[in-house]
Structure formats: C-alpha cells, structure tokens
Amino acid sequence: FFRPYAQEIEHSIHILERFDYHITLANFSITINGVQPLLENNGEINIINGRNPLLELAKKTVVPLNLNMDNNENILLLSGPNAGGKTVTLKTVGLFSIMAQCGIFIPAEKSTLPIFTQILCDIGDQQSIEDDLSTFSAHVQNLSAIIEKSDKNTLILLDELGTGTDPDAGAAISRA
C-alpha cells in the first residue's frame, strides 16, 4: 500500500528531521535564555554575563563570566586558588566557541566571538598507563602535538600545565 509512495515518505521524514532539529535548538535556546553571538574575524572575545549551560541545566549555582579580550591580546592566563572557577572558565569559553560556530545561541547577555579554524585542548589528567607516561610527560606530549597542529586562528585551552611536576617548574612552563 505504501510502497509506491516510499520516496515521498522518505523525503517527508527528512523534512521532519530538519524541523525537529531546529525546534530542539530553539527550545534549548529558550531554556538557557540564549542569545545569538556575534561572530567576527578580528579575534575579539567579549562575553557579558555568560553562564556555562551544563551547570545551568543541572540547576547549579552559576557565577556569570565576564571576559573581554581585544584582537591585540593573544593569551588569557588564569591563576588563583583551587575551586576558583579557572577550569570552568576555560571550558565555558571553549563550549561557547563551539556552540557559536554551530549556530547555537549561548547563555549570555551579549557576546562576540572569533571564528576559529580549530579548538585544541589539554584539560585534565591524560596519564596513560598503557603508554607508560607520567602526568607531566602526557602534558608535554599533548603540548607538542598542539603546537604542531595550531595556526593563528586556533583556540588553545590549557589547564593544569604543571600537574605532575614541581610547582615552580610548572609555573615556568605555563609562562613560556
């Protein structure tokens, strides 16, 4: 009975999938009070009252992020005590960048983000027992790969650079 209409039915299903996709994005944007980010090629990052959507959806207390880097600033160095939000800040900037480039609204009052060709990260402990790497060696290996792959339009997120080594040596590596 339906066989003669198989192509039309398949076409209709694809249209419904696109509708569902866009309705899901719209509902997500409403849920997180999202705004359309402005994408610029000038390298500026400006986030006003940004909130990590994962924390917000989990109903956690979220401290809004305000970040302003003009196109002359290439490095944002975060320092402070444990549980001070440094990793959350890094992950939020990375997540906002991905969301914006995918056309997904972000939970912020206003934002301007650059268009990145790639996003490279070394966040967390990547120690591998199989590869017989210490935490420090794993970080050095990741940093080497990031340096080889990156270009001037790459967002690089690095966290806990000195993990697995002397704190003073880790601080020197971070500054370098």
Side-chain angles (χ1 to χ4, degrees), residues 36-54:
Q36 181 179 3
L38 179 62
L39 291 173
E40 294 283 343
N41 263 340
N42 65 8
E44 176 186 346
I45 296 177
N46 187 19
I47 300 170
I48 300 173
N49 290 326
R51 302 164 318 277
N52 187 296
L54 301 174

Side-chain angles (χ1 to χ4, degrees), residues 117-139:
T117 55
Q118 54 190 339
I119 299 173
L120 303 174
C121 304
D122 183 15
I123 297 177
D125 184 355
Q126 302 298 319
Q127 182 172 337
S128 170
I129 294 171
E130 290 128 6
D131 294 335
D132 194 30
L133 290 175
S134 69
T135 301
F136 178 70
S137 297
H139 277 297

